Amino acid sequence: MPLYKSQTLKIYNSLSGEKETFTPINEGNVGMYVCGPTVYSNVHLGNVRTFMSFDVIFRYLQHLDFKVRYVRNITDVGHIVDDVDEGEDKIAKKARLEQLEPMEVVQRYTVDFHDILNAFNFLPPSIEPTATGHIIEQIEIIKTIIDKGIGYVANGSVYFDVVKFNETNHYGILSGRNIEDMLANTRDLDGQSDKRNPQDFALWKKAEPQHIMRWPSPWSDGFPGWHLECTAMSTKYLGNHFDIHGGGMDLKFPHHECEIAQNEACTGHTPVNYWMHANMLTLNGKKMAKSTGNNILPGEILTGDNTFLSKAFSASVARFFMLQAHYRSILDFSDEAIIAAEKGYKRLMEAMDALKGISAKETSSLDITGWKQLCYDAMNDDFNTPILIAQLFEGVRYINLLKDEKEILNTADLKLFTATMEAFVFDVLGLEEEKSNGNTDKLEGVVNMLIGMRKQARDNKDFAMSDQIRDQLIALGIQLKDGKEGTTFNIN
């Protein structure tokens, strides 16, 4: 019997604002679409957190024996700077600034995206379509919207008529916005735009002469609107009505709102049953932004080459850190927080290693079946990874008791306990054991011994010896960092 038949999964639906029992459209099958990156720069840590949330959701759905078709796109055209309809395409702008072909930009940052996600142990999606690969499908959707009287052509561009759509539907249903309020709060266009109303959004944009990325269409040589791309790719591979659509909280409006409107205009019904949104990541209590310098790239965590962290951290430690917060809550990234996460991660991995050496007895003194269900209850409650991790540390406590023979398990219970720990730690959370060799461990031991000698020299006010140890380590490519938690080191 498939596991999903014995578990009741509840998902927080952004559309209703409530947790709802998950019932797929087709029993045993799940269609899930997640908005992927616009590949004009290195993937940032906030993106990684969003995609990690859906990686865990994908993993858990598969663990429950659902057959999942997970579609995550690559936006390689049409995403205008500042997410508006007027202005420059993000990829075209990057290509112009760096004097590259747009597809060189796309290739460079798509490779970076895949490299980072592989480093963090993400499962690949079932399908990863690109916007440029689905221009024909987008043109067909635009034709349908025009035929329905909700799209209009103006000077070679095509716009979605939000006011017309709102006569029979609700534009703002996902974000809770009211069209009258939106129109009242938007400045007059003073005839400077082809739009009938300020809230109308582009389905197709006529390309200016200098615009590099362009395709022929019935209306002009141009390019598709950003919102339209996801509608075309999600419906092509998942159908006009599918189970889950996810993305970052920042995409709820206008991107996802426009997707709903486009789908409803074409088909007359809502496209998605469960809308899911992951929350943002902050750095030292402030919003991450390149412009302010309050920014760290995922790869910089792994190398330690940054000004925010006292040392490098493994991808699994960073992953464990992120999963300690629920995907719908804001998570603050800091040196202190990830150091604490590393300690927890190491405790968990040491316990998993110790579990291999535990022997079965004739009877059991622990309720493993009840504990196992608590692990499922955590994930069934809108994928609550922090509660799951708390249950796994209850498992760590069991392991320590079993190791000291203060508790015992029979063969069947030990097998069940081991399988459950491994399934949730490795398969669902996607954590990996850190691979280290004996030489690395010995080097770390020697450096820590020298750090201890340096501290003793400083305590004795023997600063000449303290400086000598530090300088000789630097000469060997080992840099010491003094912090509140003590001294750490990086090997360059």
Side-chain angles (χ1 to χ4, degrees):
M1 184 177 75
L3 196 50
Y4 62 77
K5 285 186 176 287
S6 64
Q7 302 295 330
T8 302
L9 172 62
K10 292 201 168 185
I11 294 176
Y12 181 86
N13 191 347
S14 298
L15 198 59
S16 65
E18 295 177 356
K19 289 180 189 175
E20 300 175 7
T21 300
F22 178 63
T23 307
I25 295 164
N26 300 305
E27 186 181 331
N29 295 272
V30 178
M32 180 169 76
Y33 184 88
V34 173
C35 292
T38 301
V39 282
Y40 72 101
S41 65
N42 297 105
V43 61
H44 64 74
L45 198 58
N47 289 145
V48 170
R49 188 207 177 184
T50 295
F51 299 133
M52 189 180 293
S53 298
F54 288 100
D55 179 62
V56 170
I57 289 165
F58 179 36
R59 285 169 175 273
Y60 187 61
L61 291 170
Q62 287 187 315
H63 176 76
L64 291 179
D65 298 322
F66 285 112
K67 184 179 179 182
V68 186
R69 178 177 286 176
Y70 173 22
V71 183
R72 186 187 65 214
N73 75 295
I74 296 285
T75 296
D76 55 357
V77 68
H79 193 164
I80 305 300
V81 175
D82 297 328
D83 301 343
V84 293
D85 288 330
E86 306 301 327
E88 194 169 8
D89 181 290
K90 289 185 174 184
I91 291 161
K93 181 181 179 182
K94 187 78 168 185
R96 177 175 58 77
L97 292 173
E98 297 196 5
Q99 295 184 309
L100 297 170
E101 278 289 326
M103 285 302 124
E104 284 184 88
V105 173
V106 166
Q107 180 69 12
R108 175 189 296 176
Y109 294 115
T110 300
V111 169
D112 168 73
F113 175 66
H114 289 147
D115 285 348
I116 289 295
L117 266 53
N118 288 338
F120 281 83
N121 197 32
F122 283 55
L123 296 177
S126 317
I127 303 171
E128 192 174 55
T130 63
T132 55
H134 296 77
I135 300 292
I136 293 170
E137 290 85 350
Q138 292 172 73
I139 288 172
E140 290 305 309
I141 290 173
I142 296 170
K143 287 179 182 175
T144 302
I145 293 173
I146 291 172
D147 290 345
K148 301 267 186 173
I150 298 172
Y152 59 91
V153 183
N155 292 328
S157 293
V158 185
Y159 295 96
F160 188 96
D161 192 331
V162 168
V163 173
K164 180 75 174 172
F165 171 78
N166 205 59
E167 289 174 3
T168 52
N169 300 77
H170 179 190
Y171 182 77
I173 192 169
L174 180 65
S175 57
R177 300 184 186 210
N178 180 289
I179 186 67
E180 287 79 14
D181 292 341
M182 284 191 271
L183 289 170
N185 292 331
T186 310
R187 62 175 175 78
D188 291 332
L189 293 171
D190 299 325
Q192 294 177 0
S193 171
D194 296 324
K195 296 181 184 182
R196 291 176 182 169
N197 295 289
Q199 293 299 325
D200 294 352
F201 55 89
L203 299 171
W204 185 265
K205 286 291 291 179
K206 180 182 179 180
E208 297 300 322
Q210 70 275 16
H211 201 98
I212 314 169
M213 304 177 81
R214 56 172 67 221
W215 290 262
S217 80
W219 314 286
S220 65
D221 277 6
F223 54 93
W226 173 40
H227 312 306
L228 185 72
E229 297 170 358
C230 285
T231 294
M233 290 182 281
S234 62
T235 56
K236 180 178 174 71
Y237 298 109
L238 299 174
N240 289 330
H241 188 204
F242 56 95
D243 298 299
I244 298 171
H245 193 314
M249 198 78 79
D250 56 320
L251 298 180
K252 188 184 284 189
F253 186 89
H255 187 52
H256 291 160
E257 198 74 73
C258 294
E259 278 193 65
I260 292 173
Q262 289 164 163
N263 273 284
E264 289 186 355
C266 286
T267 66
H269 61 74
T270 187
V272 178
N273 283 356
Y274 304 88
W275 284 90
M276 299 181 69
H277 293 94
N279 215 325
M280 65 188 290
L281 189 70
T282 57
L283 178 59
N284 292 328
K286 297 175 185 174
K287 184 179 178 181
M288 282 200 200
K290 286 182 187 175
S291 56
T292 62
N294 196 53
N295 184 60
I296 184 170
L297 292 173
E300 293 171 347
I301 296 170
L302 310 183
T303 63
D305 185 19
N306 61 79
T307 58
F308 295 99
L309 302 180
S310 56
K311 62 171 190 168
F313 294 90
S314 73
S316 270
V317 167
R319 188 178 177 104
F320 180 75
F321 162 74
M322 291 193 197
L323 296 178
Q324 285 181 307
H326 190 266
Y327 77 90
R328 285 192 290 114
S329 65
I330 293 173
L331 173 62
D332 188 51
F333 185 81
S334 68
D335 190 45
E336 293 79 9
I338 196 166
I339 285 172
E342 184 177 49
K343 290 174 182 173
Y345 165 80
K346 285 184 173 177
R347 271 185 62 212
L348 182 58
M349 289 303 147
E350 284 164 6
M352 294 303 293
D353 193 50
L355 181 56
K356 298 169 190 171
I358 290 170
S359 302
K361 307 295 180 185
E362 289 185 12
T363 58
S364 293
S365 59
L366 292 168
D367 177 17
I368 298 304
T369 305
W371 165 82
K372 174 187 172 183
Q373 189 54 49
L374 290 174
C375 292
Y376 279 100
D377 290 347
M379 288 302 286
N380 290 339
D381 182 17
D382 192 32
F383 309 99
N384 201 323
T385 55
I387 299 298
L388 171 63
I389 288 170
Q391 290 302 332
L392 293 176
F393 275 103
E394 181 67 2
V396 169
R397 190 177 72 83
Y398 288 174
I399 291 168
N400 291 330
L401 291 170
L402 293 166
K403 195 169 61 172
D404 297 338
E405 297 194 345
K406 292 178 180 175
E407 301 284 358
I408 54 173
L409 291 178
N410 64 29
T411 301
D413 281 345
L414 180 59
K415 188 177 178 182
L416 176 65
F417 178 57
T418 302
T420 304
M421 284 293 290
E422 289 179 347
F424 280 106
V425 171
F426 301 125
D427 299 341
V428 174
L429 294 182
L431 299 174
E432 294 181 294
E433 293 179 273
E434 285 186 348
K435 299 171 183 69
S436 64
N437 57 50
N439 290 335
T440 304
D441 292 341
K442 286 173 186 173
L443 174 61
E444 189 171 324
V446 170
V447 175
N448 282 328
M449 180 183 72
L450 289 167
I451 287 171
M453 290 170 63
R454 177 172 171 262
K455 182 180 183 301
Q456 191 173 6
R458 292 171 80 181
D459 290 345
N460 293 335
K461 296 189 167 37
D462 186 354
F463 298 115
M465 176 60 74
S466 166
D467 291 347
Q468 185 182 356
I469 292 171
R470 182 199 63 206
D471 294 344
Q472 288 186 352
L473 285 172
I474 287 173
L476 293 168
I478 299 168
Q479 186 169 16
L480 301 184
K481 284 190 179 182
D482 296 316
K484 294 176 190 171
E485 300 278 328
T487 302
T488 57
F489 67 92
N490 282 332
I491 301 175
N492 298 321

